[in-house]
Amino acid sequence: MNTVLKPRDPVPLLELRGIAKSFGQVEAIKDVSLSILPGRVHTLLGENGAGKSTLMKILAGVHAPTRGEIFLNGSLATFANPGESQKAGIAIIYQELSLAKNLSVAENMFAGHEPRRFGVVDFKRLYVQAQTLLDSLGIDIDATAPVSRLSMAQRQLVEIGKALSRDASLVIMDEPTSSLSDREAEILFHIVTKLTAKGAAVVYISHRMDEIMRISDDISVMRDGRYIATLQKDETTIATLIAMMVGREMSDVYPRRETHYVRPPQPLLTVSHLTLPGQFEDISFEIHAGEILGFFGLIGAGRSDVMKALFGIGRPGGEITMSGKRLKLRNPAHAIREGIAFVTEDRKHEGLVLMHSIAHNVTMASFEEHGSRFGILNRRFERDETANAITRMNIRASGPFQAVGNLSGGNQQKVVFSKWLALKPKVLILDEPTRGVDVGAKFEIYRVIRELAATGTAIILVSSELPEALAMSDRLVVMREKRIVHEFDAHGELPITQPITQEEVMSYATGAKTA
């Protein structure tokens, strides 16, 4: 008699059993059990505040679980600190960069385990090893370059190289493409493929649904600190995952305008031949009250530099006029007084004071207007404005005096928005406003953008997510190599008569089309 042997289920590389984590009275994770298999990409999906980052920090040795067990390769494991997690073969790439700007790329990549000779760092070997690793990963960056001279996207790639400088069997990637262009994201996807081909497991956290459906093997959903389910990619759809993640059906991620937009005859803001050598050249455009003007381009196209110049950072040549009045924007304070607000792409370092409360951050930009001549803020204004912001933006927090640094990324971004909305600006510049934000929080941010435009605020929206740029913009400006190369009307009114395709926009962004 012949016995047919059934294939055994693969042994999990990592298994979590009943993991929970509390911070005081707040239970961030509640009874999460999860299995990660070798050689597969396991995506962890959930809204900001669902507990994903806390769970990953437990694996990284940053937090100890309140209860539950971790098994690595079938053996019980505990990590008292990040060093123990790294020695066990776990590498983590955080969404928020942890690089030292004053050090070189190589020094950052091998920090804590530099090659040494006679007890001191062997810089020659350090630079060779770092450059070899970068080249093998397809990352075109000089290992000797100071990190301070790199773009945000390049720093993100260095962060990836830093994590992979150690031989890891489990690599955790927390929003790794949040600062990357499509071209650089392809480099990352190639790295992921190489890792899994070698048998490593990749835990991938992202809010970009298209890339999740592209690279995932298994997808686990968390909601409100709890594990919901694990599905194989081929067994599910984006709509199903979103419904599981937010606990409700979402028919449209991008809210439509409530009423048809009629463009005023005269522009509110006009920019003519704006030039800052080395950053951007001959930038000319206009925007009308109530209009959403999108800016799209690959990393390095110069979009963010243009936006900073409009906010008084830098001294470009050219002309900026508001309602016919010529502006000389000497600094951000001057731009704010003229009615220009700026939501930066780097909320941690440029948009918020993390150790301060929600209330202090929300009213920070309004201090000059609402403070007394003795430098004392109007407490009634602070209370009312913060309460309004928490309600309007649906900020999830324990109260108005919770430190912003303890909020999830999506809620931090809502605080940044609220800070500028308190000023009621004429022009609101949004540089990657939904970077690292989950789909539920994105919808709330889009809703507020629509509301502001409906009340007459002119909005400049810089986005690396082309579907977002096309869906939210009335007109779309494309930049390449620090110049404007084309302008589309995103709704097919003027001068385009056909709906714009993503392929057509990318053809101008990459230089495939030039006229």
Side-chain angles (χ1 to χ4, degrees):
M1 179 178 177
N2 294 327
T3 302
V4 178
L5 296 177
K6 294 182 180 180
R8 298 175 62 187
D9 291 334
V11 176
L13 174 67
L14 177 78
E15 190 175 1
L16 307 178
R17 299 180 186 175
I19 295 293
K21 178 62 180 177
S22 297
F23 297 95
Q25 299 298 314
V26 179
E27 196 171 19
I29 299 177
K30 310 160 189 175
D31 193 29
V32 172
S33 296
L34 199 62
S35 293
I36 309 296
L37 300 178
R40 295 176 70 85
V41 178
H42 196 124
T43 293
L44 197 57
L45 190 61
E47 292 189 270
N48 288 111
K52 306 183 303 297
S53 294
T54 301
L55 190 63
M56 295 305 101
K57 287 179 180 178
I58 288 173
L59 294 179
V62 176
H63 298 318
T66 304
R67 62 179 182 273
E69 295 176 319
I70 301 171
F71 289 85
L72 195 62
N73 292 313
S75 300
L76 184 65
T78 57
F79 310 125
N81 53 60
E84 291 187 3
S85 174
Q86 291 168 2
K87 288 178 182 177
I90 298 175
I92 184 165
I93 302 165
Y94 291 106
Q95 177 186 347
E96 307 300 340
L97 304 183
S98 60
L99 303 177
K101 295 180 183 180
N102 60 316
L103 299 180
S104 68
V105 168
E107 289 171 295
N108 273 279
M109 287 175 59
F110 285 85
H113 61 116
E114 306 91 341
R116 292 181 177 271
R117 181 179 172 84
F118 304 124
V120 296
V121 176
D122 186 339
F123 281 97
K124 184 176 180 179
R125 282 177 56 208
L126 173 67
Y127 292 133
V128 169
Q129 288 182 12
Q131 195 64 61
T132 300
L133 177 57
L134 290 169
D135 293 344
S136 71
L137 297 174
I139 299 174
D140 185 18
I141 295 176
D142 182 359
T144 65
V147 165
S148 60
R149 295 183 184 176
L150 303 183
S151 67
M152 285 288 290
Q154 289 173 317
R155 292 178 192 180
Q156 182 72 68
L157 291 173
V158 172
E159 193 79 51
I160 293 167
K162 176 182 176 181
L164 300 182
S165 67
R166 300 176 184 269
D167 190 19
S169 58
L170 174 65
V171 180
I172 301 167
M173 299 184 174
D174 190 357
E175 292 286 349
T177 62
S178 60
S179 300
L180 303 183
S181 68
D182 290 343
R183 186 179 303 171
E184 289 155 333
E186 288 297 330
I187 297 173
L188 175 73
F189 299 151
H190 178 66
I191 292 170
V192 169
T193 300
K194 290 174 68 174
L195 287 169
T196 54
K198 293 193 302 181
V202 174
V203 175
Y204 198 87
I205 299 175
S206 177
H207 298 304
R208 296 184 176 182
M209 302 304 294
D210 290 341
E211 73 181 31
I212 286 171
M213 297 304 287
R214 172 180 172 179
I215 72 166
S216 302
D217 295 306
D218 309 300
I219 304 173
S220 291
V221 179
M222 292 183 66
R223 185 173 71 240
D224 297 329
R226 296 186 182 276
Y227 167 80
I228 303 300
T230 296
L231 300 171
Q232 291 189 11
K233 178 185 68 176
D234 297 336
E235 299 175 342
T236 189
T237 64
I238 291 176
T240 299
L241 292 169
I242 290 176
M244 291 171 63
M245 183 173 68
V246 301
R248 63 188 186 277
E249 296 290 339
M250 291 187 66
S251 58
D252 192 353
V253 175
Y254 304 104
R256 308 283 180 187
R257 279 188 180 273
E258 296 271 336
T259 58
H260 179 69
Y261 173 64
V262 179
R263 192 173 294 154
Q266 298 299 321
L268 175 65
L269 182 75
T270 302
V271 175
S272 302
H273 307 295
L274 208 65
T275 298
L276 191 58
Q279 295 188 28
F280 51 82
E281 297 180 35
D282 198 26
I283 302 297
S284 297
F285 66 89
E286 60 184 32
I287 182 170
H288 300 72
E291 185 176 29
I292 301 175
L293 179 65
F295 267 73
F296 180 80
L298 303 180
I299 299 297
R303 301 165 304 160
S304 295
D305 291 328
V306 172
M307 299 307 127
K308 288 179 179 178
L310 295 178
F311 195 57
I313 302 172
R315 296 294 179 89
E319 186 172 288
I320 303 171
T321 61
M322 177 94 76
S323 300
K325 172 189 172 184
R326 183 170 182 178
L327 304 182
K328 291 186 178 180
L329 303 176
R330 295 181 293 274
N331 52 53
H334 188 202
I336 291 170
R337 284 194 291 270
E338 295 292 349
I340 300 174
F342 180 36
V343 175
T344 173
E345 67 173 330
D346 187 359
R347 61 175 173 262
K348 291 281 189 181
H349 298 100
E350 299 176 356
L352 297 167
V353 181
L354 298 179
M355 66 183 70
H356 284 194
S357 67
I358 296 170
H360 287 170
N361 275 276
V362 166
T363 55
M364 186 183 303
S366 312
F367 183 83
E368 183 175 339
E369 181 178 352
H370 295 281
S372 74
R373 61 194 180 112
F374 300 108
I376 301 174
L377 181 65
N378 184 322
R379 293 299 177 187
R380 181 176 179 180
F381 166 78
E382 181 183 58
R383 183 185 66 246
D384 293 347
E385 193 63 38
T386 305
N388 179 57
I390 290 174
T391 301
R392 182 180 190 181
M393 296 297 300
N394 191 23
I395 298 171
R396 298 180 185 180
S398 61
F401 298 105
Q402 181 176 353
V404 168
N406 293 332
L407 299 179
S408 67
N411 285 301
Q412 287 179 353
Q413 189 71 343
K414 292 176 185 179
V415 174
V416 177
F417 256 77
S418 301
K419 176 178 73 173
W420 295 116
L421 298 189
L423 284 172
K424 299 178 174 57
K426 299 175 185 175
V427 177
L428 178 60
I429 302 169
L430 306 175
D431 194 356
E432 304 288 2
T434 62
R435 174 179 172 237
V437 171
D438 66 73
V439 67
K442 280 184 178 182
F443 184 86
E444 292 168 352
I445 289 173
Y446 295 147
R447 175 182 52 78
V448 171
I449 291 173
R450 289 289 189 214
E451 288 176 0
L452 290 169
T455 59
T457 304
I459 295 171
I460 301 176
L461 172 64
V462 176
S463 178
S464 295
E465 294 190 40
L466 191 46
E468 173 180 273
L470 284 172
M472 292 298 296
S473 303
D474 299 303
R475 286 183 296 124
L476 184 64
V477 171
V478 182
M479 290 188 66
R480 179 173 57 84
E481 295 179 353
K482 309 186 186 308
R483 292 176 177 270
I484 291 176
V485 293
H486 199 74
E487 181 180 313
F488 292 98
D489 188 288
H491 298 294
E493 298 170 4
L494 295 170
I496 307 299
T497 57
Q498 298 295 326
I500 308 165
T501 65
Q502 294 187 42
E503 291 76 15
E504 190 173 8
V505 176
M506 285 301 297
S507 69
Y508 284 100
T510 59
K513 278 188 178 181
T514 57

